[in-house]
Amino acid sequence: MCKICHLENRAHRAQLSRRGLLRFFGTVTAGVVLTGTADAKEMKAPPKPQNVVSPDAALELLMDGNERYVDGISRRHDFKHEREALVGGQNPYAGILSCADSRIAPEYAFDSGRGDLFVCRVAGNFANSDTIASMEYAVAMLSTPLIMVLGHDSCGAVSATSKSLKDNTTLPGHLPSLVKSITPAVNAVAGKPGDLLDNAIRQNVIDNVAKLKTATPILSEAVEQRKLKVVGGIYKLRNGRIDMIVW
Ligand SMILES: [Zn+2]
């Protein structure tokens, strides 16, 4: 296939996937950039115009919010008026894939309001089909320009995976499914210098940033078109600071 046909096919596939999402989810709720009159008619003004930002500006918003949170000067949020403004739609400036650990709470950690963050949480903050699909929705339908994979120190899910592999035991219930998803990161750092758990937590973030970036066709193409950045950070339990490790 010649390069032009290849690019046209990809553009067509991307258009189809957006149309498919539109059919599935109904009317566009925020400033999604689509071509064609039919799609344009379905656009509505974003409820939070201040959230229509570049990927780099979105990262700055996150990190400024984290600084306020660390310093103990989080903003007071007027949830009553925010609720009312968001009845008709949403345009979050960042998607966060974080651990389910009760101490993390991305909305607090980034001092954000309602409608600012599109958050998926699972113990061990790994990307699977469901979390990738959720982020696809955020990017394709809500024009979210940034995704952050957010790990944290002393992660119980990574620690349990590491212990299960070391002792060669099978955890009860559905936990083996979680272990399976985190195992590649633990194996990748085996025998490396430094603390095994810290290294595995870090590797798990790096791996899942790569997984989201290369998830075809929606996320990978948004990255290629520079409409989306996928970054990774680690939340420190002691002071709440988020250290960027992939950006
Ligand atoms: Zn955790």
Side-chain angles (χ1 to χ4, degrees):
M1 188 187 295
C2 81
K3 198 174 176 188
I4 291 171
C5 294
H6 175 65
L7 289 174
E8 280 179 351
N9 277 345
R10 282 182 53 176
H12 182 60
R13 277 205 314 277
Q15 187 68 12
L16 283 177
S17 55
R18 278 191 290 267
R19 283 181 195 281
L21 282 168
L22 264 175
R23 272 197 297 275
F24 187 73
F25 290 108
T27 314
V28 178
T29 53
V32 179
V33 180
L34 295 167
T35 54
T37 333
D39 290 339
K41 276 182 190 161
E42 293 180 79
M43 285 178 66
K44 279 187 191 173
K48 286 193 136 180
Q50 69 274 29
N51 284 1
V52 181
V53 292
S54 69
D56 288 332
L59 183 56
E60 247 179 78
L61 285 173
L62 283 183
M63 299 322 286
D64 287 351
N66 181 240
E67 212 168 291
R68 291 194 299 275
Y69 169 75
V70 169
D71 292 343
I73 51 167
S74 295
R75 288 175 178 158
R76 191 169 175 276
H77 292 280
D78 177 358
F79 290 126
K80 181 177 187 303
H81 289 99
E82 274 186 2
R83 270 199 309 269
E84 289 164 3
L86 292 165
V87 169
Q90 56 170 325
N91 62 313
Y93 64 78
I96 310 290
L97 173 57
S98 88
C99 185
D101 190 302
S102 65
R103 300 166 292 180
I104 309 307
E107 287 87 349
Y108 288 143
F110 295 110
D111 188 25
S112 59
R114 280 169 197 268
D116 286 340
L117 304 182
F118 192 92
V119 181
C120 293
R121 300 184 67 173
V122 61
N125 47 270
F126 56 84
N128 59 16
S129 299
D130 299 323
T131 46
I132 291 173
S134 299
M135 290 302 173
E136 286 177 339
Y137 175 74
V139 170
M141 301 300 292
L142 309 177
S143 293
T144 300
L146 180 77
I147 296 174
M148 180 184 283
V149 178
L150 183 61
H152 67 99
D153 52 4
S154 308
C155 181
V158 179
S159 172
T161 300
S162 178
K163 191 169 180 337
S164 163
L165 293 172
K166 184 171 160 272
D167 301 343
N168 198 23
T169 51
T170 303
L171 296 178
H174 290 72
L175 288 165
S177 157
L178 189 146
V179 167
K180 190 175 167 207
S181 298
I182 302 172
T183 291
V186 175
N187 283 341
V189 299
K192 298 251 171 88
D195 182 79
L196 177 68
L197 180 59
D198 287 348
N199 289 345
I201 288 166
R202 189 183 171 85
Q203 190 63 44
N204 190 43
V205 169
I206 293 169
D207 289 353
N208 284 290
V209 166
K211 195 168 179 181
L212 287 169
K213 265 170 122 165
T214 54
T216 56
I218 296 175
L219 299 185
S220 61
E221 289 186 8
V223 168
E224 219 170 276
Q225 292 164 5
R226 296 173 191 263
K227 289 177 184 164
L228 172 70
K229 257 193 183 178
V230 186
V231 299
I234 293 182
Y235 179 98
K236 300 287 180 194
L237 290 173
R238 185 163 297 281
N239 57 15
R241 190 173 296 286
I242 287 155
D243 291 339
M244 294 303 298
I245 59 165
V246 188
W247 69 94

